[in-house]
Amino acid sequence: MKFALIFPVLFIAVVQSISARKGTTRRSRNSGGLPLNGARQKAYPVLLSIVREGGFRGLEECKKQFKNEIWNCSLDQSKQDVFSHLPIFVKTTLPYATRETALLHAISNAAITHEVTLQCRQNKIPGCHCVEKNKHNSGNGEWQWGGCGDNIWFGENTTKSFIDVLEPQEESARRAVNLHNNEIGRRVVRLSLKKECKCHGVTGSCEYKTCWRSLAPFGEVGQQLKLKYRHAVRVSLMKGILKEVKTKKIAARRDKKLVYLDNSPDFCVRNVTAGSPGVLGRTCSSEDGGVDKCVSLCDSCRLRSRTVEHSKQVPCRCKFVWCCSIQCKECTKRYSITTCTRR
């Protein structure tokens, strides 16, 4: 199923969920900050595009975080047009509920939440605006809430309404795990909000500050989710409740842990069913992290590493010339490409 088919179906599902609540126009956190009326429905064509854009942004961040790992957030390229799909929407690309699937759900939800919130701040979504904090709440007397903060509630609830509706309605362990990890991804974005302040005073002094909450760079969110991937816990569904397999402790979302059902396959070898392309033939550049990481990657999968030196011309010794241009010389830069090959 391609995006041309996925998103009309997704749009209908979301609009139907809104129609079921038709008649209420009150604002609430659950409505994402928009009244449930014509204005909200008018925003949906824009939101569809933003959700897709955010989903791909999540995959790119995943690949960036895991670029020198055995599992590098890649999918089996033998599947036709697999990179035109988002795994979170096309369930057949994620057949098992492994810790990698947990990470993909979380980082996709986080990226969509981040993107929706960001574009809301930029006034690109009809009816969505920044959040004005209660100015009576003060930290220490030297600053007060003011200005316009990022509307994280809109970002979270919009993402939830688009993504969680894709899960089948019948109760299952896979559904419970996916919804859990979806929420963890959205929550990490909220908990990563930073306080930004602006000084006020005479001639540049900072007599007092007004502050607001703003999004952290998405790279920081990606780093946090990578750490949660490392500490993900295996769970099972017992009487409708997710419990950790080892401790039998309830896997509460407030614990902020990613959860999974299935053990991960061996990502060193190609596994079409699991969507793993394997490490054989993987290349990495010394420009991305050094030769040692490349060699270690091959060795960990019992493969031989073959390193070839390369060179290229790059701009160097640049200087500003009045007025108004930059002039550079050309220098030779050496780098190496390491490939994992059979022993």
Side-chain angles (χ1 to χ4, degrees), residues 56 97 105 125 130 145 164 188 190 193 196 224 240 292 322 340 342:
F56 278 114
H105 269 267
I125 302 174
C130 60
W145 289 117
D164 285 4
V188 167
R190 171 161 42 90
L193 289 175
E196 291 191 2
Q224 290 187 47
D292 290 344
W322 183 266
C340 295
R342 297 187 190 278

Side-chain angles (χ1 to χ4, degrees), residues 29-30 44 51 58 66 73 96 104 106 122 138 142 153-154 169 177 214 216 221 249 267 273 300 318 322 327 329 340:
R29 284 182 177 179
N30 291 332
Y44 265 88
V51 167
F66 290 84
C73 206
Y96 302 112
L104 285 170
Q122 296 171 348
S138 180
E142 297 179 357
W153 298 110
F154 178 81
Q169 293 304 304
V177 161
S214 62
V221 175
K249 176 184 174 183
F267 287 106
T273 304
S300 61
C318 298
W322 183 266
Q327 289 186 356
K329 295 183 179 291
C340 295

Side-chain angles (χ1 to χ4, degrees), residues 54 80 139 164 239 259 265 279 294 318 327 336:
Q80 187 178 9
D164 285 4
K239 297 181 179 179
V259 299
V279 173
C294 295
C318 298
Q327 289 186 356
S336 61

